[in-house]
Amino acid sequence: MLPIMRRKPPTIASALSVLALSVALTSLTAMSQAVAAAGKKTITAVMHSDLRVIDPGFTTAYITRDHGYMVYDTLLATDSSFKIQPQMADWKVSDDKLTYTFTLRDGLKWHDGQPVTAEDCVASLKRWGRNDAMGQKLMDFTASLDVIDARSFALKLKEPYGLVLESIGKPSSYTPFMMPKRLAETPAGQQIKEQIGSGPFKFVQAEFQPGVKAVYEKNTDYVPRKEPPSWTSGGKMVKVDRVEWITMPDAQTAVNALQSGDIDFMENLPFDLLPVLEANKDIKIDVLNKFGFQTLGRMNFLYPPFDNVKVRRAAFLAMKQKDVLDALVGNEKYQKTCGAIFVCGTPLETDVGAESLVKGNGMAEAKKLLAESGYDGTPVVVMAPGDVVTLKAQPIVAAQLLRDAGFKVDLQATDWQTVVTRRASQKPPKEGGWNMFFTNWVAADVSNPIANASVSGRGKNGGWFGWAEDARIEELRDKFARSGSADEQKKIAAEIQKQAYEQVIYIPLGQYTIPSGWRKSLTGVVDGPATPVFWNIDKSE
């Protein structure tokens, strides 16, 4: 039997939050009718998580990335053929491949009416380059990033680097969103204080109620590109007046609202309720991100017990991908065991070092290694969010597997936005820190050693949450970045995977896809690796 998660007594704040949610749910139909009566064409959506952190340069959380795509725009973008396309800017490359010159297109304005300038974009790229794994590597190869004039700037390299455009045009977290210079220059570790972008929607700050709803209105000054939309590229034509993200932590409540027409769109459908929804002729069901997700566990390298590689190896050997996937998904159509750090089905797929994960045969060795490691019974603080359907199962299953191996586990029930905030803390577990959390990456974010933030070995010097430090991995990542041969890159990627598994930089726990559902009154829903997006969607009344 799985353990009962420890819950904190309800507080006044949490009671008020529940009350606010109840009010929001009971009045949703009335609000929708009122908006319709006012002549506003509105999409109501239940996203995969509540939105609280609204700075897309502060966290890799996908709900914050999704918010970013509403408010902000990007210089370049990726289309459905994996090609980089102009978005806010076009580019030219010098003959020696050392200088990339970017020129902004006409008609770009910030939401406060000011023109977008090259100075803004340079500042935005520098901020992104501090935090993102691909951005950090690009900046390692960058000699200078300078403004030429109001509409153009130049990125000059120390040596040729083949991933410049792929880095700036990457579709997912951290996405290099452009923002005004004054916001981009917010000190490291602080969140921006305004939501001023140049994207297709404007954030309605006055109606933002964390835990209840987030509201976006059409940016009537936005000038879309003329190309048809393709993934995150092309024309971002907004065909509705307003989009409301309604928070509904209970999946059954959200499904009921979708069936009744009280909401129009639900990002993550619960697998156990799919048969009910599939029988409803008014609902369209489809997987928008066909490349799916990698789910994973991440340890904190700063504190015991996971500052000890033998203890990390014991935890790694205890994990069983199938147990996690069966609890998370439970449907073979949507799940896949996979030991490839850089995702199964990609050119860099390899099974090096992954046998115990995929076969689930490492428990005996895990117990032996833990006994030899000197582990003193330090409780492992595992954060367990209960409000996101794709994040509930992993910590519960993993906690039991850790216990079976001989670990003491403190499984702390929380919500995802608390995890998003708390995982950035480097405090000891006894002071509000943590030892382990679980999350999901879209395949596009982990498909190579430069994009995959989880495999970075930078430690406290710009590393991802958990702060793994590994000089060998960083040496290999640099080697991969310099390589121009697909065969050599595959060999280097296999070396990185071998090192990552030996040191347990992180633990991939399998791949899955998850369907979305929407009322058939919506048309023009765009697919891709960074969905959902709400441009191109129209709604019939």
Side-chain angles (χ1 to χ4, degrees):
M1 180 179 293
L2 295 175
I4 298 174
M5 290 188 287
R6 179 168 63 82
R7 295 185 179 274
K8 296 178 180 179
T11 63
I12 293 175
S14 64
L16 289 174
S17 177
V18 171
L19 178 60
L21 176 60
S22 175
V23 171
L25 296 183
T26 55
S27 63
L28 181 57
T29 302
M31 287 193 304
S32 299
Q33 291 173 345
V35 169
K40 297 282 188 181
K41 189 183 287 189
T42 301
I43 296 172
T44 51
V46 170
M47 303 293 280
H48 69 273
S49 167
D50 177 29
L51 175 69
R52 293 182 187 273
V53 180
I54 56 176
D55 180 350
F58 189 78
T59 178
T60 53
Y62 288 140
I63 190 65
T64 307
R65 175 207 66 188
D66 297 341
H67 163 78
Y69 270 113
M70 300 292 280
V71 176
Y72 303 93
D73 211 344
T74 58
L75 293 171
L76 312 178
T78 304
D79 71 12
S80 60
S81 298
F82 294 94
K83 291 182 179 178
I84 302 300
Q85 300 290 351
Q87 190 59 35
M88 293 172 70
D90 209 334
W91 70 89
K92 291 182 180 179
V93 186
S94 63
D95 292 341
D96 61 6
K97 310 296 183 187
L98 291 178
T99 302
Y100 288 71
T101 302
F102 297 89
T103 303
L104 296 171
R105 66 186 176 93
D106 293 331
L108 298 176
K109 290 197 298 186
W110 299 118
H111 294 161
D112 61 6
Q114 296 299 309
V116 176
T117 68
E119 194 175 34
D120 296 317
C121 297
V122 166
S124 296
L125 284 175
K126 287 180 177 179
R127 184 179 197 241
W128 162 76
R130 289 198 305 264
N131 300 322
D132 179 69
M134 288 192 84
Q136 289 167 345
K137 191 58 66 180
L138 175 60
M139 294 303 159
D140 288 345
F141 281 80
T142 297
S144 62
L145 184 57
D146 295 316
V147 171
I148 298 173
D149 55 39
R151 291 185 54 214
S152 59
F153 62 94
L155 185 152
K156 295 183 179 180
L157 299 170
K158 301 171 185 175
E159 60 183 279
Y161 178 58
L163 296 175
V164 173
L165 301 179
E166 287 78 5
S167 300
I168 296 173
K170 63 176 293 196
S172 195
S173 298
Y174 292 101
T175 307
F177 293 118
M178 297 297 103
M179 58 186 62
K181 180 175 180 285
R182 69 178 188 279
L183 300 182
E185 291 182 340
T186 299
Q190 294 184 26
Q191 295 189 49
I192 58 176
K193 300 189 182 301
E194 299 175 77
Q195 294 297 301
I196 302 294
S198 64
F201 292 90
K202 291 183 177 182
F203 184 59
V204 185
Q205 184 72 52
E207 295 189 54
F208 181 42
Q209 301 176 57
V212 180
K213 70 174 181 177
V215 178
Y216 306 86
E217 290 185 341
K218 178 179 180 177
N219 176 12
T220 56
D221 291 331
Y222 184 75
V223 180
R225 295 190 66 87
K226 292 184 168 116
E227 302 91 342
S230 178
W231 284 6
T232 55
S233 73
K236 298 179 179 180
M237 179 74 71
V238 176
K239 300 180 180 180
V240 297
D241 301 298
R242 182 178 168 100
V243 176
E244 296 183 2
W245 292 358
I246 307 298
T247 300
M248 292 187 186
D250 180 68
Q252 180 68 68
T253 300
V255 166
N256 291 343
L258 181 63
Q259 293 205 98
S260 66
D262 287 331
I263 64 171
D264 303 302
F265 181 95
M266 185 173 175
E267 180 181 358
N268 287 346
L269 299 180
F271 293 103
D272 57 337
L273 295 178
L274 280 179
V276 174
L277 292 165
E278 288 168 346
N280 189 325
K281 61 181 178 59
D282 295 322
I283 294 173
K284 168 77 172 176
I285 296 174
D286 196 11
V287 174
L288 295 178
N289 178 6
K290 305 294 194 296
F291 298 96
F293 296 80
Q294 179 187 86
T295 190
L296 63 110
R298 177 72 163 188
M299 302 172 187
N300 190 334
F301 284 63
L302 303 183
Y303 300 104
F306 293 137
D307 58 344
N308 181 335
V309 66
K310 288 186 177 181
V311 177
R312 296 198 302 270
R313 282 289 298 168
F316 172 86
L317 290 164
M319 294 298 112
K320 301 177 183 178
Q321 283 193 352
K322 192 170 189 311
D323 285 5
V324 172
L325 292 171
D326 284 347
L328 171 64
V329 180
N331 186 325
E332 293 296 329
K333 178 180 177 182
Y334 297 103
Q335 68 185 60
K336 178 182 180 66
T337 56
C338 172
I341 277 181
F342 304 116
V343 185
C344 287
T346 70
L348 302 181
E349 176 184 351
T350 176
D351 60 1
V352 171
E355 179 182 343
S356 66
L357 279 179
V358 176
K359 294 185 177 179
N361 60 0
M363 185 60 77
E365 189 177 352
K367 292 178 180 179
K368 181 174 179 292
L369 190 58
L370 187 64
E372 295 172 353
S373 71
Y375 173 64
D376 62 0
T378 300
V380 175
V381 175
V382 178
M383 297 187 287
D387 62 330
V388 177
V389 68
T390 58
L391 291 167
K392 287 181 179 181
Q394 298 93 315
I396 298 174
V397 174
Q400 188 58 51
L401 291 171
L402 290 172
R403 289 190 179 99
D404 292 345
F407 286 90
K408 290 184 179 179
V409 180
D410 180 6
L411 190 64
Q412 296 188 3
T414 182
D415 60 82
W416 176 238
Q417 288 303 302
T418 298
V419 174
V420 166
T421 303
R422 186 175 169 188
R423 69 182 181 178
S425 171
Q426 294 184 354
K427 291 181 179 179
K430 289 182 179 179
E431 297 177 21
W434 55 277
N435 292 117
M436 196 169 190
F437 76 92
F438 296 82
T439 189
N440 308 307
W441 285 113
V442 297
D445 280 338
V446 293
S447 59
N448 71 65
I450 309 304
N452 191 331
S454 301
V455 84
S456 165
R458 286 178 176 261
K460 287 185 176 182
N461 184 29
W464 194 56
F465 312 114
W467 307 285
E469 186 169 354
D470 193 295
R472 175 60 178 158
I473 281 182
E474 285 306 296
E475 176 187 330
L476 289 167
R477 290 178 73 230
D478 279 344
K479 189 176 178 181
F480 182 94
R482 290 185 171 93
S483 174
S485 162
D487 289 341
E488 184 183 21
Q489 287 180 338
K490 184 174 178 63
K491 181 181 177 182
I492 296 168
E495 291 183 62
I496 292 173
Q497 177 164 311
K498 181 175 183 292
Q499 178 74 3
Y501 277 151
E502 287 178 354
Q503 296 299 313
V504 195
I505 302 300
Y506 80 105
I507 308 178
L509 292 169
Q511 293 175 208
Y512 71 94
T513 57
I514 186 165
S516 299
W518 57 91
R519 305 285 301 178
K520 289 184 178 178
S521 56
L522 299 186
T523 55
V525 179
V526 176
D527 68 348
T531 51
V533 295
F534 289 88
W535 58 80
N536 199 55
I537 302 180
D538 205 352
K539 179 180 178 180
S540 60
E541 299 299 336

